[in-house]
């Protein structure tokens, strides 16, 4: 997840918010919710048998993949954003056991000329501090991109350009390094699939990294306040929402190409 248009995409769900202003209802999918008591949610579909785990940083990303997961018999996890979210989830009872196939899926920002709405599979994850991880062979989606995992949102075009020049990055997110580190230690068969929601020449709104909570749910009043301060922002958010939805459709299509077991 790159806290960018994927956050705005939650805006499209606002008419369906429940009494908790930071949660979204799954209205169209019958789920069995798994909660380890620490707030980490795994959605396991009862039919057919489980074959793969999909991890998303945001509730929006998880919701976008729910129909596919139900059809394929996969388990969906929402870990929350940033490395902290991945690490808390990995330490919970919801995390898969050793040897499972686990895919981190969601949206990311481009740091190279990649069109918005396109899905890419990550060939290498880097953290900018010397850490590098390569997904194990056997995952079915062709891997082509180098992903830089950062701690804060790269909201300016200048920051994206530096990421490309200094780290050879094609895209940027905030979870892949933590996920790769955990996945390698746990012996998972893992992959990272990202949909491009904001291009290299796009800037993002100030403070956007604070628009979701630690469980990946939209903080609606943060968005409302930002729009009240700058009403013209609403037009940008609508456009970014559309791109995020397209990006997640592309991610779903990429995941759909995987065989039932998630490996070639």
């Amino acid at each position: 997840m790159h806290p960018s248009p994927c956050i705005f995409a939650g805006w499209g769900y606002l008419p369906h918010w429940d009494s908790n202003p930071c949660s979204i209802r799954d209205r169209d999918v019958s789920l069995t919710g798994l909660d380890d008591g620490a707030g980490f949610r795994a959605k396991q579909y009862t039919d057919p048998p489980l074959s793969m785990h999909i991890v998303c940083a945001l509730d929006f990303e998880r919701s976008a993949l729910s129909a596919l997961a139900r059809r394929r018999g996969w388990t969906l996890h929402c870990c929350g954003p940033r490395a902290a979210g991945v690490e808390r989830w990995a330490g919970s009872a919801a995390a898969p056991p050793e040897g499972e196939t686990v895919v981190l899926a969601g949206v990311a920002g481009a740091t190279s000329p990649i069109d918005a709405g396109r899905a890419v599979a990550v060939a290498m994850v880097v953290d900018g501090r010397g850490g590098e991880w390569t997904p194990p062979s056997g995952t079915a989606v062709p891997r082509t991109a180098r992903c830089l995992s950062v701690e804060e949102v790269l909201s300016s075009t200048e920051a994206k350009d530096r990421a490309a020049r200094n780290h050879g990055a094609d895209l940027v997110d905030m979870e892949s390094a933590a996920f790769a580190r955990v996945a390698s230690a746990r012996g998972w068969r893992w992959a990272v699939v990202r949909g491009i929601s904001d291009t290299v020449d796009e800037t993002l709104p100030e403070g956007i990294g604070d628009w979701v909570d630690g469980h990946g749910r939209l903080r609606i009043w943060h968005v409302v306040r930002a729009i009240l301060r700058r009403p013209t922002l609403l037009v940008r958010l609508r456009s970014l929402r559309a791109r995020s939805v397209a990006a997640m459709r592309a991610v779903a299509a990429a995941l759909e190409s995987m065989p039932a077991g998630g490996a070639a």
Side-chain angles (χ1 to χ4, degrees), residues 16 22 24 40 54 94 121 191 197 232 243 248 254:
H16 315 306
C22 288
I24 297 174
F40 295 101
I54 307 295
S197 54
T232 56
R243 296 183 186 188
M248 287 308 300

Side-chain angles (χ1 to χ4, degrees), residues 63-90:
S63 295
L65 298 176
S66 60
L68 172 62
R70 176 177 58 181
R71 188 165 64 250
R72 296 296 295 268
W74 297 339
T75 295
L76 279 173
H77 304 261
C78 185
C79 66
R82 295 181 166 85
V86 173
E87 291 164 359
R88 287 194 303 265
W89 166 78

Side-chain angles (χ1 to χ4, degrees), residues 9-21:
W11 189 266
Y13 291 85
L14 293 184
H16 315 306
W17 292 79
D18 61 19
S19 57
N20 181 346

Side-chain angles (χ1 to χ4, degrees), residues 8 26 48 53 58 70 74 91 123 126 183 204 206 214 239:
F8 311 141
D26 266 311
H53 297 262
L58 300 183
R70 176 177 58 181
W74 297 339
V126 299
L204 300 175
E206 182 181 352
S239 174

Side-chain angles (χ1 to χ4, degrees), residues 6 10 18 23 25 33 38 66-67 86-87 92 115 132 140-141 151 157 161 172 179 191 195 202 217 225-226 229 248:
C6 56
D18 61 19
S23 67
R25 290 195 184 106
S66 60
V86 173
E87 291 164 359
S92 74
D115 292 336
E132 296 184 351
V141 177
E151 296 178 358
T157 57
D161 182 62
V172 61
F179 172 76
E202 287 185 82
R217 297 170 295 200
R225 283 195 292 269
R229 288 194 300 266
M248 287 308 300

Side-chain angles (χ1 to χ4, degrees), residues 189-211:
R189 294 178 296 168
W190 63 275
V192 177
V193 180
R194 292 300 200 187
I196 300 302
S197 54
D198 54 299
T199 60
V200 66
D201 57 354
E202 287 185 82
T203 60
L204 300 175
E206 182 181 352
I208 192 173
D210 297 325
W211 289 9

